[in-house]
Amino acid sequence: MANPLVISACGKGGTGKTTFIALLLKVLIDDGKASEKAILVVDADPDTNLPDVLGIDVKSTVGDAANRLKKGIDKGEFSMGISKRDLLEAWVYESLIESKDFDFLVMGRTEGEGCYCYVNSVLTRVLDTILSNYDLVLMDMEAGLEHISRRTDKDVDIMVVVTDPSRMGLKTAQRIKELVKEVHIDIKKLYLVGNRIPDSLTSFIAEWATKNNIELLGFIPEDHYISEYNMMGKPLLELPDNSPALNAVRIMAAKLNL
C-alpha cells in the first residue's frame, strides 16, 4: 500500500467541502468499501469542522505534536542522541483516531512565532510514512488558495473543487485550476462539484465548467437532512438512505470508480 489514492476537497470557504468528504465517506462505508480498503480521513482545515460533522471527539492534533516538538527544540530539552523524527512520529500516531471503518487525523494549527521550517520538513516525512499505510486518503482542505501555493496538495490524485451558487465560488475554482498548473502540482484529475445549486443554475454551471475545461462531477442538491443534522449536532454518517445529497454523492463515487 505504498501509493494510496488521495482525494482532496477544496474551494471557497462555506461551499460544502466538509460535507462532501463526509458524504463520500458514508457512501464508502454503506457500500462495504470501507471493509475492503484501509481508509484515512484527514481534516487539513485549521478551522477543524470535520470532527463535528463525523461525530468524533478529538483529543490532540498533528499541530499539537509539531508545537510540542518546536517548544522542546527551543528549550533545548532533547539530547543529541534523540531522533526528533521518531519523537514526532510517535506523537502524531498518538493523535491518530482509529475506528472500525476508517482512521482519522486532524492537522490542527501550529502556534507561536519563529521558524517552523525544520519541524515542517520532519512532519512532511512523517505524514508521507503514515499515508503509505492506507489504500485511500480523503482530505478536507482549508478554504481558499493558500494551501495550493504552499503545495500542501502535492500528492493528490483527485482534486474536487466544491462551489456554491456564487460568482466567488466559481472564481475560486478557476484560480485553483490556474494555481495547480503554476506551481506544478501533479494532479491526475480535477473535478468541479456544485453544492446547493438551484435547478435554474445547473445549466449555467455545466456550461461554465465546459468553458473552463473543468470536468463536472455532479451536483449536490439542497437537502433538509443536512441542515437538520448540522443544527442538531448529529453525525452525517447517520443520514438516512433517502437523503438526496447522499444519493447524489453515491453517483459521484461511482464515476470516480470508488
Side-chain angles (χ1 to χ4, degrees):
M1 294 187 288
N3 295 301
L5 177 67
V6 180
I7 301 175
S8 75
C10 58
K12 182 179 73 69
T15 56
K17 301 178 295 295
T18 300
T19 297
F20 172 76
I21 289 295
L23 293 175
L24 186 57
L25 176 62
K26 178 167 173 58
V27 166
L28 294 172
I29 293 173
D30 289 351
D31 292 353
K33 300 296 177 61
S35 61
E36 302 171 359
K37 301 177 182 292
I39 299 176
L40 175 66
V41 181
V42 179
D43 187 345
D45 187 342
D47 287 337
T48 316
N49 294 314
L50 191 55
D52 291 335
V53 172
L54 297 179
I56 297 175
D57 183 25
V58 176
K59 302 296 185 184
S60 63
T61 70
V62 173
D64 293 334
N67 292 330
R68 185 176 173 186
L69 179 64
K70 184 176 185 298
K71 288 177 181 178
I73 293 173
D74 291 344
K75 294 178 180 179
E77 295 177 351
F78 308 125
S79 65
M80 293 294 293
I82 294 179
S83 168
K84 297 175 183 62
R85 172 175 175 169
D86 289 346
L87 273 177
L88 184 58
E89 184 170 346
W91 294 338
V92 170
Y93 270 107
E94 286 178 3
S95 67
L96 185 66
I97 299 171
E98 298 179 346
S99 70
K100 179 173 70 72
D101 296 309
F102 62 95
D103 291 349
F104 188 53
L105 196 63
V106 176
M107 296 300 293
R109 295 177 181 271
T110 53
E111 62 185 29
E113 299 179 354
C115 182
Y116 266 93
C117 298
Y118 171 74
V119 173
N120 285 336
S121 67
V122 175
L123 182 58
T124 297
R125 293 196 297 271
V126 169
L127 292 176
D128 285 344
T129 299
I130 291 175
L131 263 60
S132 68
N133 294 320
Y134 295 90
D135 300 302
L136 175 63
V137 179
L138 305 179
M139 301 183 69
D140 181 18
M141 305 304 297
E142 65 182 292
L145 308 170
E146 188 177 352
H147 62 95
I148 296 176
S149 62
R150 295 199 311 267
R151 293 179 61 86
T152 308
D153 291 293
K154 65 184 177 67
D155 296 320
V156 167
D157 297 295
I158 298 173
M159 180 178 287
V160 178
V161 184
V162 183
T163 184
D164 57 5
S166 71
R167 172 63 63 177
M168 284 306 301
L170 292 178
K171 284 186 175 180
T172 300
Q174 184 179 37
R175 185 59 182 143
I176 286 173
K177 182 177 183 293
E178 294 169 354
L179 263 181
V180 165
K181 185 175 181 180
E182 288 173 12
V183 300
H184 305 291
I185 298 176
D186 185 19
I187 293 174
K188 295 181 176 64
K189 199 71 178 179
L190 180 70
Y191 289 100
L192 182 72
V193 166
N195 185 35
R196 305 187 304 272
I197 308 294
D199 291 342
S200 59
L201 288 178
T202 55
S203 294
F204 175 83
I205 299 291
E207 291 172 5
W208 183 93
T210 300
K211 180 180 177 181
N212 288 274
N213 198 28
I214 303 177
E215 185 169 345
L216 181 64
L217 186 59
F219 294 104
I220 302 175
E222 191 74 50
D223 187 339
H224 73 275
Y225 286 117
I226 301 290
S227 302
E228 290 173 7
Y229 275 51
N230 281 334
M231 185 64 70
M232 296 168 62
K234 296 176 63 176
L236 294 189
L237 295 181
E238 297 177 2
L239 281 170
D241 291 340
N242 63 338
S243 160
L246 180 62
N247 286 314
V249 174
R250 179 168 283 112
I251 295 172
M252 297 181 201
K255 289 183 180 178
L256 295 174
N257 295 314
L258 297 180

